[in-house]
Amino acid sequence: MFNSIHEECGVFGIYSNKKTDVAASAYYALFALQHRGQESCGIAVNDDGVITCHKENGLVGDVFTPDKLAALGEGQIAVGHVRYGTSENKGIVNAQPMVINHVKGSMAIAHNGSLTNAAELRESLELNGSIFHSNSDTEVISYIITKERIGAPSIEAALFSAMYRLKGAYSLVIMSPTKLIAARDPMGFRPLCIGKKDDQIIFASETCALSTLGAEYVRDVQPGEIVIVDKNGMRSLDGHCGECKKSLCVFEYVYFARPDSRVEGASVHLARKKAGAFLAKRHPVDADVVIGVPDSGLDAAMGYAEESGVPYGLGFIKNKYIGRSFIQPTQAMRENDVRIKLNIVSSTVKDKRVVMIDDSIVRGTTCARIVKQLREAGAKEVHVRISAPPFLYPCYFGTDISSQDNLIANNHSVKEICDIIGADSLGFLDLDDVRHLTDAAPDTFCCACFDGKYPTEPPKKALDNKYNHKIND
Amino acid sequence: MFNSIHEECGVFGIYSNKKTDVAASAYYALFALQHRGQESCGIAVNDDGVITCHKENGLVGDVFTPDKLAALGEGQIAVGHVRYGTSENKGIVNAQPMVINHVKGSMAIAHNGSLTNAAELRESLELNGSIFHSNSDTEVISYIITKERIGAPSIEAALFSAMYRLKGAYSLVIMSPTKLIAARDPMGFRPLCIGKKDDQIIFASETCALSTLGAEYVRDVQPGEIVIVDKNGMRSLDGHCGECKKSLCVFEYVYFARPDSRVEGASVHLARKKAGAFLAKRHPVDADVVIGVPDSGLDAAMGYAEESGVPYGLGFIKNKYIGRSFIQPTQAMRENDVRIKLNIVSSTVKDKRVVMIDDSIVRGTTCARIVKQLREAGAKEVHVRISAPPFLYPCYFGTDISSQDNLIANNHSVKEICDIIGADSLGFLDLDDVRHLTDAAPDTFCCACFDGKYPTEPPKKALDNKYNHKIND
Amino acid sequence: MFNSIHEECGVFGIYSNKKTDVAASAYYALFALQHRGQESCGIAVNDDGVITCHKENGLVGDVFTPDKLAALGEGQIAVGHVRYGTSENKGIVNAQPMVINHVKGSMAIAHNGSLTNAAELRESLELNGSIFHSNSDTEVISYIITKERIGAPSIEAALFSAMYRLKGAYSLVIMSPTKLIAARDPMGFRPLCIGKKDDQIIFASETCALSTLGAEYVRDVQPGEIVIVDKNGMRSLDGHCGECKKSLCVFEYVYFARPDSRVEGASVHLARKKAGAFLAKRHPVDADVVIGVPDSGLDAAMGYAEESGVPYGLGFIKNKYIGRSFIQPTQAMRENDVRIKLNIVSSTVKDKRVVMIDDSIVRGTTCARIVKQLREAGAKEVHVRISAPPFLYPCYFGTDISSQDNLIANNHSVKEICDIIGADSLGFLDLDDVRHLTDAAPDTFCCACFDGKYPTEPPKKALDNKYNHKIND
Amino acid sequence: MFNSIHEECGVFGIYSNKKTDVAASAYYALFALQHRGQESCGIAVNDDGVITCHKENGLVGDVFTPDKLAALGEGQIAVGHVRYGTSENKGIVNAQPMVINHVKGSMAIAHNGSLTNAAELRESLELNGSIFHSNSDTEVISYIITKERIGAPSIEAALFSAMYRLKGAYSLVIMSPTKLIAARDPMGFRPLCIGKKDDQIIFASETCALSTLGAEYVRDVQPGEIVIVDKNGMRSLDGHCGECKKSLCVFEYVYFARPDSRVEGASVHLARKKAGAFLAKRHPVDADVVIGVPDSGLDAAMGYAEESGVPYGLGFIKNKYIGRSFIQPTQAMRENDVRIKLNIVSSTVKDKRVVMIDDSIVRGTTCARIVKQLREAGAKEVHVRISAPPFLYPCYFGTDISSQDNLIANNHSVKEICDIIGADSLGFLDLDDVRHLTDAAPDTFCCACFDGKYPTEPPKKALDNKYNHKIND
């Protein structure tokens, strides 16, 4: 399987007419986008065509020390990136933004998504003498753009040509010596929005980055659109728009995006509340309290409570001090019931019939443990509701839902899962309902991980073993 | 003012009949108690009388790397501590547990609270030749116990005698070569509970540490009680019990403790919901949604919603990636409206009349900013309710509410504060109501920071200038 | 000026017939080669064709923690690199070994030297669509080899073809999935030796790496030679040998190499002693003691003493604890005579006429200070002898002697320099003598930095401004 | 055995009439004294009576980052310390300077030496209620001084009284709010010198610290003397002088001190050369070259060469990059002849009869390995000369020569040792000669580790097991 490029990331770009602290803007924006990728992060700053970049494995707050942030200096343009990496591509060579120095001009590129023809493109490039330092799609994209750049009159023209060759999901933010450019694949798998603050134009994966900077949401980049910002202002190349049917990843609403973000204009928080309301209609139950598993189950729990009339309660305290350095309990301690990440508020659930909302069941073990804890804390009944349909199919468009084998829903019926997790009842979000979480047309979403209906052809070819080296740096 | 010993801490102790991984238990428990102190932390392990200790400035997850935790080894007894430090006593010499090696036996001591006669005790000790390495009360307590120990038949007898000399607030966990001992001052200012798991006895500042370890809550240590655990089991010395009127710090319910903890048997979450309910009764308002400022305003917001019938909503997203290494925005950026820590969920508040619950107003600036953001996000009205009475008096019993000058409530009426923060209305928790947050008798609380009625004499004497040195290590 | 690729590095490779701890061998060898480059270091290990690499900015002892070294695992082949970096190319993207993943097979490459046609090669590659991540020659070399590899039957055949296009100085160690290959440019600017230990073949910049591993010195790789090691043993491609006149950098003897190394079979220590002897003959003086400035002045001082009969003495103690973290004295302190790096052994120089040997005078300030200190310690006379001729010309073959402007010898006569440094007399090594430090033919050395006679054409073209971006990571 | 207090340290103090960067002076001085202790270091600065201290485990260059050094601020007085720690007392609680805050005034104290009655003093203090945080002598000394301080008119008077109770070796530098005080025990075991620079008075363990600061050597503190510096200048209390016979540790000349230091006015370098000359007289041999094992064998090798007429040569290169983070070779690699720390300069020894000078033979294994390497490098004969007599007795006065069992000389004759190390001949420095390394009277040295003649009674009492706890912080 073509595992290595499955990732979920956040991208950011800012253009200012005057030299200013664009690195700090990127820094704060990446904090807002951190939930989209915690493996590595980076910022590249453009000061009159001179690009300075710092990127490293780690969280934004760890990577950008005061020294490192200051070293980026001021500039007119910046791009930033946070990255989720799987075990196959953790190396820092895959960190972004990727900076390319070329006789036709430097370029920094930040990418969220996953190509479905990366292996073919790469093999063809290599057979023409190209060498690759990373195993990321971003380097493939960089090459394709650069090749086109040689004969093209401008970076945006090169990008426009390159988009004929790129298949799959990509939301790109590209910085040339004088321009900031955003582009989204013609199906619009991954989100990308446009903001404005005074004289600054901002691109970001989610609107929460705009709010953080006090910027105003303008609109989303359209599927297939190329938006260029330079000293002449903002303009658009829309020749690829409408080429394909729009296929926004519905999982952005269900899980990825932050509740305070709007994606394609729709509130993520409201979409999740609506998921809760759908659950309340499809899977009602007599109960005393509705609780959500933090953080992403909370919105749906409120929606379930509101729709059902069952009171909403604070069921869990999540320990906010657990970070990367946390030492996992040994197996012995785990069996001994160490419960460090999530604690029950027993006054909420004791002697109550509880509806518990979570966002997904992957292997079932975590859910089973929580149900057990609720019972030990005195819950009389535990009814589990999941604010998404069961995962049944791998995703090829930039998320990590890749292997069918580990997914409990592939091997068990809902009834069996209910028994495995020890719940009194279990309900998933309905496949029909998931397309109605917002007011958008139901056929404008990619729900392939739930229903297997891929909006475009899955990858034919996988990278073979010779690429299976590891680069740890 | 006697500033230096004002602090709020968390203590922990565990006794096992057999050699086991008591350090790991302490580690997970300190994670659960981390909210009580983020300045430094430490664990001391006792293996057959040999005490190994590691303590350092920093959070539990940073201080205890796998190496450091492993170096503590296994043992029968452990004590742990998390500490909040003011600028006057940040030095690592003040980190706890404090380990004392003495001809009469080693001792490790962890302390939460603040003595009111520390200066007198220290001066008298020094005039008899004692030397102090720290400026913490814990060292004073260690000396008093050690002095008594010389003529006493046992460590608990020494502690019993010492308690005649110690005035003020103290919850202690002490480890001798063979015993684990817990004690609380006769007024019971600070909490201390007893748990049990299989053959292990556990002491902790809050029950959330027990839940984390999967241990059962047994009872609280009583005001004035000394509880001793050794190979003969658990026993109690209650000669100091009933000496004074019980005066539990009500602020434990209002702010300090974790919502899933029970303090003196009462649920902190329910106490806070009750605070919200009281606010709804005393300060009702026509509104569309009730939102709480995370984290500690959430419980009261639920209580206000439940009592008033106004729906509860998710008003804010708190950025969970902001840690110690976060680089504060410059003044310029701050004025430019960078809002990194807290973002509004605008779909919740847009075009709504909003009741916003927070736990306190200290200087008013943070509250004013949040009100402004809510209005910018479209809130039609913003009614602020505070789930505590105004702070008016310094605390001498182990918290940091020390200086009257910075407190907005000392210089402004409620009406004025309402104008300053830009709210449509403002209501504080009533002074009567704060004594009724739990079922306990209203006169068993210390509410001195709100009403100035000190249950015991404030300190007479302050440490003078010669102690005003800094130790940074 | 073509500044960015001027560097001095150390390379290493090891081939074993069985899977073993080749990473540890590289680790110890890089310690022995550390003097050749302290900016970054890296090791790549090949286990049955799977290449694992770790490289980072920093010293070997800091970069390779036990975890990082262990993560490299065992293998049959390893290459290592230490790198000296100038300000222009400090970025970690320039760290080596460079690992290339290609449809025709992976490759790790370590390089010491500097191409004179790098700019032309790079421009031509870029105009054909290649993209570059670094500004190092190594990436240019990688490209050229890879391009040739597509049509070539083997990696060594590709390298052989590539060598027709590469101009300038290069000593390469290359690891393919199954082979270890070493090559030296046809003029043999930089050293590269072959060692043997049991079944292992080793390549290293200097023999001190062989001694460290307990390996036996076999011979040097010949100028123009390609040496291939695989499961069939070691073989040679010598088609480029004899193409050009041999031009070994004489500065390897004078300064770069470690005294216990042999370069092209000649002892570096003896070559430096010989420099001292030449100085004694050309610039004799009546004196009481000869002292050397540590570390590289010591050998020549012994040679001067032996030739002249003036006793050798211990003149200086060099503080061995000064590392990268050392805080430089402020200007005020420096003027206040803080002398932390070098202290005089006054019993050696007091009331003596002193001959002091150093390896070079760059700007004169350091030398002036030492002379002053010697006089303050009681030296009656200070006669300075320099164990190299004056630098007058930039080097284009892999060293950092690039700018003429800073060199005192370009602007001052020997007499003037003597006055500037405050010495009683001053003598440099003679231009004739520098070609006679070993038994090799005097015309087989490159002495261009001293005499301006470049053995091959200097670079015509420099990288222009668009490459002048900074990458800090 | 009384193991825990055996240590070797370096102390430093500086007094300035005006507020200045005394912390930086201490920083550079500690670099110069680093060879006397690498376990921990610390600096305390006194600014108008306010003492700020930073101390930590680690080397000066690692502990004092720019931030930490800056945080010490400016002041009038500073004391510094570097510490060698054995496994029993590595904890940071034992780091110095020790800062004491007392009703009679703060105090910082730095100590080099070892008390012989520490256990008795400590027990007596504890039985009167004192508590100890460390297991260092320094805390005992602090207590004794503090006890005396209560009734004494001044800190120096307290110190004078305290010295009646302290037995053994101590060189102290003490800082009170307004004074800097130095004192040496009446036998003068450990060195302590006085320097002067402009208006500043400086105390240091060795004169190399004075040279580093550009200060002038004034004289040594006399055995038994107390030297006080304050705004009235420098004065002396000499009432304890002459109480005992002077007993300077001869090992300061043989091994501890830096060659460029003068101890009691005598050059350490010359004393070591003299040791070499004595060896040449007592143990002559026909040879071709004399080489010294770096660093401390070099001086004696020069002395041997000068006396014998055999030429001095550079025999070894010591790898200067091996630091604390160096990963020790596995046993397998070690047997495989990895020689990372020390490499032979084979051109010096090949086909030669070699005299090799080292400073000591402890267990014989290191020496045997070096002899073997010399033979492999082609040495025809290897004659080993040791620039000290054999260690036969434990030291109780501040060094680490504590256990007789590991010392090869206790179990083997010189002939046997010669066979064990594989040398052609072996000679030690004669017991008579060691007292004649300088011009001082031969009976003014302590040579107890060589001849067992203790100048004062060894400790009677050892700390018993209850102190055997570990403190890791």
Side-chain angles (χ1 to χ4, degrees), chain A residues 371-420:
Chain A
V371 171
K372 181 165 166 278
Q373 284 183 39
L374 285 170
R375 292 201 194 278
E376 287 171 4
K380 280 196 304 192
E381 298 173 15
V382 181
H383 302 274
V384 175
R385 300 293 177 268
I386 302 299
S387 60
F391 296 128
L392 292 168
Y393 302 92
C395 170
Y396 303 107
F397 310 113
T399 74
D400 198 29
I401 312 157
S402 54
S403 166
Q404 302 187 38
D405 303 333
N406 295 318
L407 303 172
I408 193 171
N410 267 294
N411 308 309
H412 295 283
S413 69
V414 170
K415 176 73 189 62
E416 285 169 352
I417 300 173
C418 184
D419 289 348
I420 288 169

Side-chain angles (χ1 to χ4, degrees), chain A residues 226-303:
Chain A
I226 297 173
V227 181
I228 305 108
V229 190
D230 61 13
K231 66 177 194 294
N232 302 315
M234 187 164 93
R235 64 189 179 279
S236 173
L237 281 176
D238 58 5
H240 287 293
C241 295
E243 264 179 18
C244 310
K245 200 164 70 62
K246 185 172 168 185
S247 305
L248 177 68
C249 169
V250 78
F251 213 58
E252 291 282 347
Y253 290 111
V254 170
Y255 180 81
F256 285 142
R258 229 169 74 166
D260 58 325
S261 285
R262 277 176 294 169
V263 172
E264 297 274 352
S267 159
V268 173
H269 171 61
L270 290 186
R272 287 186 195 164
K273 277 188 76 173
K274 205 160 179 184
F278 281 131
L279 283 170
K281 279 186 208 153
R282 298 261 186 192
H283 306 289
V285 64
D286 270 348
D288 304 307
V289 69
V290 183
I291 61 177
V293 178
D295 294 325
S296 46
L298 297 178
D299 313 75
M302 290 180 200

Side-chain angles (χ1 to χ4, degrees), chain D residues 250-251 254-256 359-363 386-395 399-412 417 428-429 431 447-452:
Chain D
V250 78
F251 214 57
V254 170
Y255 180 82
F256 286 141
D359 55 38
S360 59
I361 295 184
V362 178
R363 286 180 306 157
I386 303 298
S387 60
F391 297 127
L392 292 168
Y393 302 92
C395 170
T399 75
D400 199 29
I401 313 157
S402 54
S403 165
Q404 300 187 38
D405 303 333
N406 294 320
L407 303 171
I408 193 172
N410 268 292
N411 309 307
H412 296 283
I417 300 173
F428 283 91
L429 186 65
L431 209 43
C447 302
C449 57
F450 302 129
D451 63 14

Side-chain angles (χ1 to χ4, degrees), chain A residues 53-54 101 103 126 143 469 472, chain C residues 53 101 103 126 143 469 472:
Chain A
C53 178
H54 180 67
N101 310 300
V103 69
E126 290 192 346
Y143 257 115
H469 67 287
N472 309 317
Chain C
C53 178
N101 310 299
V103 69
E126 291 192 346
Y143 256 115
H469 68 287
N472 309 317

Side-chain angles (χ1 to χ4, degrees), chain B residues 235-251:
Chain B
R235 63 190 180 278
S236 173
L237 282 177
D238 59 5
H240 286 294
C241 295
E243 267 178 17
C244 308
K245 201 163 69 67
K246 186 172 170 184
S247 305
L248 177 68
C249 169
V250 78
F251 213 57

